[in-house]
Amino acid sequence: KQEVTQIPAALSVPEGENLVLNCSFTDSAIYNLQWFRQDPGKGLTSLLLIQSSQREQTSGRLNASLDKSSGRSTLYIAASQPGDSATYLCAVRPVNLGSGTYKYIFGTGTRLKVLA
Amino acid sequence: DVKVTQSSRYLVKRTGEKVFLECVQDMDHENMFWYRQDPGLGLRLIYFSYDVKMKEKGDIPEGYSVSREKKERFSLILESASTNQTSMYLCASSSDRRWGAGELFFGEGSRLTVL
């Protein structure tokens, strides 16, 4: 059974610091991995999607990598800003037979606080 | 840009009431999902639909039903609301037919309180 873990659960950093958020999954048979941002009381905003054949994706100050063999993904945030404060979640879409292929498995998130 | 719109951001209902949560997406996505999110439990899948009139149970379907009469609209129904259904409800959609296949897009969420 696929499980997704995000450690640490919470992180505080000073403004301007480069930081890495981690996402681990137990089964390497995945279609893709997606990173999201969630602000308090809001829905999830898609940040980056990495297909299983890709190693990384970049968008602005964000870079996400994927290593299926080790079951790991990292989200790198460069030059962090107070506006980056949010909860960051990762989700994998496992390769499954039947209707299970539509499911996404989510981590519980890392709550990031960037201090001004 | 993909837009997933949930009809109500905040609702307050009484125990036993029938509750409808509506979700509309404007990108012709074939897949739509309903999740609930609770502190300490993360996101849990209630139901999903991969086509019009098609539905599949997720991990916690008890106490809920869904309707998908049109491709763009996916409704979540609480037949008789109970206090343990107080939660944040999130609708999402995705498509497997174009680049970025499988990318999941979420609405803003509906915070339901059952008294």
Side-chain angles (χ1 to χ4, degrees):
Chain A
K1 180 186 171 186
Q2 177 74 267
E3 292 183 0
V4 179
T5 304
Q6 292 184 253
I7 296 173
L11 181 65
S12 286
V13 300
E15 182 178 6
E17 191 163 300
N18 302 324
L19 59 100
V20 173
L21 305 180
N22 296 298
C23 173
S24 300
F25 48 96
T26 54
D27 189 339
S28 62
I30 63 171
Y31 282 118
N32 59 44
L33 184 145
Q34 194 168 354
W35 282 94
F36 298 88
R37 168 191 174 129
Q38 186 175 31
D39 294 293
K42 299 285 186 69
L44 280 67
T45 300
S46 177
L47 296 174
L48 289 165
L49 173 74
I50 311 177
Q51 302 292 351
S52 62
S53 59
Q54 298 174 321
R55 296 298 300 270
E56 66 177 346
Q57 282 286 339
T58 298
S59 176
R61 293 183 295 108
L62 305 179
N63 176 278
S65 68
L66 175 64
D67 184 345
K68 282 199 310 177
S69 61
S70 66
R72 294 185 63 185
S73 175
T74 59
L75 179 66
Y76 174 84
I77 303 176
S80 58
Q81 304 169 358
D84 295 329
S85 299
T87 297
Y88 291 82
L89 296 97
C90 66
V92 300
R93 187 177 179 193
V95 175
N96 262 322
L97 297 176
S99 61
T101 191
Y102 295 98
K103 291 190 178 181
Y104 298 74
I105 311 298
F106 286 82
T108 51
T110 294
R111 191 169 62 255
L112 173 66
K113 189 167 186 177
V114 180
L115 305 170
Chain B
D1 282 350
V2 175
K3 194 164 176 75
V4 180
T5 304
Q6 294 185 227
S7 56
S8 304
R9 290 278 286 123
Y10 301 96
L11 302 94
V12 179
K13 298 292 181 180
R14 298 220 172 262
T15 302
E17 279 193 78
K18 191 168 186 175
V19 182
F20 293 87
L21 299 179
E22 305 283 342
C23 176
V24 177
Q25 50 92 6
D26 66 357
M27 282 300 291
D28 199 37
H29 284 176
E30 66 272 21
N31 307 321
M32 296 189 74
F33 307 80
W34 274 106
Y35 293 87
R36 64 177 284 178
Q37 185 178 33
D38 301 285
L41 296 176
L43 276 88
R44 293 180 290 169
L45 180 64
I46 304 171
Y47 268 96
F48 65 98
S49 168
Y50 52 89
D51 202 352
V52 176
K53 296 191 186 294
M54 304 302 291
K55 59 186 179 185
E56 291 278 347
K57 293 180 180 179
D59 300 316
I60 51 163
E62 297 77 20
Y64 303 95
S65 62
V66 290
S67 172
R68 191 152 180 216
E69 296 297 318
K70 293 185 177 180
K71 191 174 185 180
E72 67 271 19
R73 187 180 297 270
F74 192 36
S75 303
L76 180 69
I77 303 153
L78 287 68
E79 296 288 343
S80 178
S82 63
T83 54
N84 63 12
Q85 293 179 309
T86 292
S87 185
M88 169 70 95
Y89 290 87
L90 295 165
C91 175
S93 72
S94 73
S95 175
D96 294 323
R97 297 177 186 165
R98 51 183 67 92
W99 175 249
E103 185 171 6
L104 203 54
F105 295 91
F106 280 85
E108 280 289 289
S110 297
R111 168 71 65 183
L112 172 66
T113 301
V114 183
L115 302 174

